[in-house]
């Protein structure tokens, strides 16, 4: 559907790249931990299945990482640099202490505890960005499995990055926008737009459109449709899809416009560079 498209993909790129990952200067093992979480999330090593390494309760985390030390190191040996592997295998307990000791509330967000624990959320975001490309081609339909799974994933990421210092205000805002965009696809509003797009009916009797093509690919025109021609768009949608399609019209249009504005700005920025 035209107003969704790659928007979340661009948002996500910004989002993922803003996660800090540093090399092993002064004992920082972010790079290795990031690689570990990725492998564990994807289930690339059998041993990670016997413990939930994404555990958030520090006491359980401490116990599990301790009893599954050999598993962690087995993965790290393959996935990490020799320097980081050596550091982890010799200072495993130090690493665990940093990972599982919640610092006092005055601690700055740059503290390793936050940095390490936030890395857990990385693989979920990767998955979201892959799935986003996937669903761009799915016609809007209520309760589509792919969309429902994505909504669930968005909620999971939201929970993952919500603890203090795990993410920036901007990241939470980006995710919120992505999530709203995905949820919009599960509405009668979106289904209706898809339907009109697919059937491409003759709308010439709607003089209120004033020359605007309802199914236009032009971003500027799309934005016009949902701003100055909003009342007209609503009438058309109601006529073609019934009252249900416009029940949350104001909210849905607002979400839709936010996406469109982002797409428009992204396209302009790309054209200029
Ligand atoms: C981190 O270290 C690896 C090798 O261990 C190197 O290839 C990479 O360029 C380094 N990254 C940064 C950002 O310094
Ligand atoms: C992992 O488990 C699968 C299924 O039980 C098995 O076929 C595979 O050989 C195992 N891989 C390793 C590396 O142990
Ligand atoms: C979609 O799923 C919800 C929750 O299971 C259900 O209440 C609703 O009737 C379903 N809608 C359609 C159109 O299938």
């Amino acid at each position: 559907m035209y107003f969704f498209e790659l928007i979340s993909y661009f948002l996500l790129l910004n989002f993922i790249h803003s996660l800090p990952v540093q090399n092993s200067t002064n004992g920082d093992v972010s790079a290795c931990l990031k690689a570990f979480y990725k492998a564990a999330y994807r289930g690339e090593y059998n041993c990670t299945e016997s413990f939930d390494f994404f555990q958030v309760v520090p006491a359980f985390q401490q116990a599990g990482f301790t009893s599954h030390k050999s598993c962690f190191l087995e993965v790290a040996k393959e996935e990490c640099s020799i320097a980081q592997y050596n550091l982890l295998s010799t200072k495993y307990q130090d690493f665990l202490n940093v990972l599982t000791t919640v610092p006092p509330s005055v601690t700055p967000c740059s503290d390793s505890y936050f940095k390490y624990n936030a890395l857990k959320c990385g693989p979920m975001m990767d998955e979201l960005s892959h799935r986003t490309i996937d669903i761009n081609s799915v016609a809007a339909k209520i309760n589509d499995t792919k969309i429902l799974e994505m909504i669930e994933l968005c909620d999971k990421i939201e929970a993952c990055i919500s603890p203090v210092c795990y993410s920036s205000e901007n990241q939470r805002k980006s995710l919120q926008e992505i999530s709203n965009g995905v949820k919009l696809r599960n509405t009668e509003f979106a289904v209706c737009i898809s339907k009109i797009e697919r059937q491409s009916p003759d709308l010439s009797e709607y003089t209120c459109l004033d020359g605007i093509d309802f199914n236009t690919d032009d971003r500027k025109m799309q934005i016009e449709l949902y701003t100055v021609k909003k009342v007209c768009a609503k009438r058309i949608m109601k006529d073609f899809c019934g009252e249900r399609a416009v029940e949350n019209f104001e909210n849905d249009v607002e979400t839709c416009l936010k996406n469109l504005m982002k797409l428009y700005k992204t396209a302009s920025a790309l054209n200029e560079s």
Side-chain angles (χ1 to χ4, degrees):
M1 184 180 329
Y2 62 69
F3 59 76
F4 189 67
E5 283 180 18
L6 289 172
I7 177 61
S8 4
Y9 184 59
F10 286 116
L11 281 175
L12 273 161
L13 284 183
N14 288 335
F15 193 36
I16 290 166
H17 290 163
S18 57
L19 283 178
V21 173
Q22 276 145 27
N23 259 343
S24 81
T25 47
N26 53 46
D28 185 302
V29 292
S30 296
C32 184
L33 191 56
K34 185 184 178 199
F36 173 82
Y37 278 132
K38 186 173 168 186
Y41 190 81
R42 295 183 175 184
E44 288 168 7
Y45 296 80
N46 286 347
C47 74
T48 62
E49 272 154 37
S50 54
F51 170 65
D52 178 13
F53 284 95
F54 295 85
Q55 179 60 250
V56 291
V57 181
F60 291 151
Q61 206 182 16
Q62 169 80 250
F65 271 76
T66 302
S67 58
H68 292 78
K69 177 179 174 182
S70 64
C71 175
F72 186 92
L73 291 177
E74 176 194 329
V75 178
K77 193 166 188 179
E78 296 298 319
E79 304 293 331
C80 306
S81 69
I82 294 169
Q84 296 227 322
Y85 171 74
N86 286 342
L87 190 62
L88 277 163
S89 54
T90 52
K91 300 233 155 90
Y92 192 72
Q93 194 53 48
D94 292 348
F95 155 70
L96 265 198
N97 289 343
V98 175
L99 183 73
T100 62
T101 309
V102 185
S105 59
V106 292
T107 311
C109 289
S110 56
D111 187 89
S112 292
Y113 170 83
F114 302 121
K115 216 162 53 178
Y116 286 178
N117 278 286
L119 288 172
K120 280 199 280 278
C121 314
M124 299 173 200
M125 295 183 207
D126 283 342
E127 189 189 352
L128 184 63
S129 79
H130 291 129
R131 282 178 178 244
T132 302
I133 301 170
D134 231 32
I135 66 157
N136 276 333
S137 57
V138 177
K141 159 173 131 209
I142 301 293
N143 291 346
D144 179 275
T145 312
K146 274 189 174 175
I147 304 290
L148 292 183
E149 280 171 5
M150 256 188 72
I151 292 174
E152 202 178 301
L153 185 58
C154 283
D155 291 345
K156 203 167 110 183
I157 297 173
E158 197 179 328
C160 189
I161 66 171
S162 69
V164 65
C165 290
Y166 278 32
S167 56
S168 66
E169 186 60 39
N170 272 341
Q171 288 177 322
R172 286 190 290 273
K173 215 176 119 209
S174 289
L175 181 71
Q176 197 59 57
E177 283 172 14
I178 294 164
S179 180
N180 288 342
V182 174
K183 284 172 185 159
L184 183 65
R185 285 179 73 103
N186 196 37
T187 59
E188 297 289 349
F189 174 88
V191 171
C192 183
I193 291 175
S194 262
K195 183 180 165 191
I196 296 174
E197 212 180 358
R198 210 169 46 245
Q199 300 185 344
S200 190
D202 176 12
L203 298 173
S204 57
E205 69 180 89
Y206 290 91
T207 51
C208 62
L209 274 178
D210 220 0
I212 299 233
D213 174 6
F214 191 95
N215 290 325
T216 182
D217 286 330
D218 183 270
R219 300 275 175 238
K220 238 176 150 167
M221 221 187 242
Q222 289 168 357
I223 292 169
E224 238 179 291
L225 179 66
Y226 294 110
T227 50
V228 290
K229 299 290 173 212
K230 194 163 77 170
V231 177
C232 189
K234 187 174 178 180
R235 209 180 105 205
I236 293 171
M237 291 176 72
K238 194 177 160 189
D239 287 354
F240 274 86
C241 311
E243 185 65 40
R244 278 192 316 176
V246 293
E247 254 166 16
N248 292 307
F249 190 76
E250 291 302 327
N251 274 334
D252 292 344
V253 160
E254 197 185 316
T255 306
C256 177
L257 270 174
K258 270 192 190 142
N259 273 353
L260 280 173
M261 298 287 196
K262 278 257 161 58
L263 280 167
Y264 181 63
K265 280 190 200 141
T266 308
S268 309
L270 286 176
N271 285 339
E272 276 160 23
S273 60

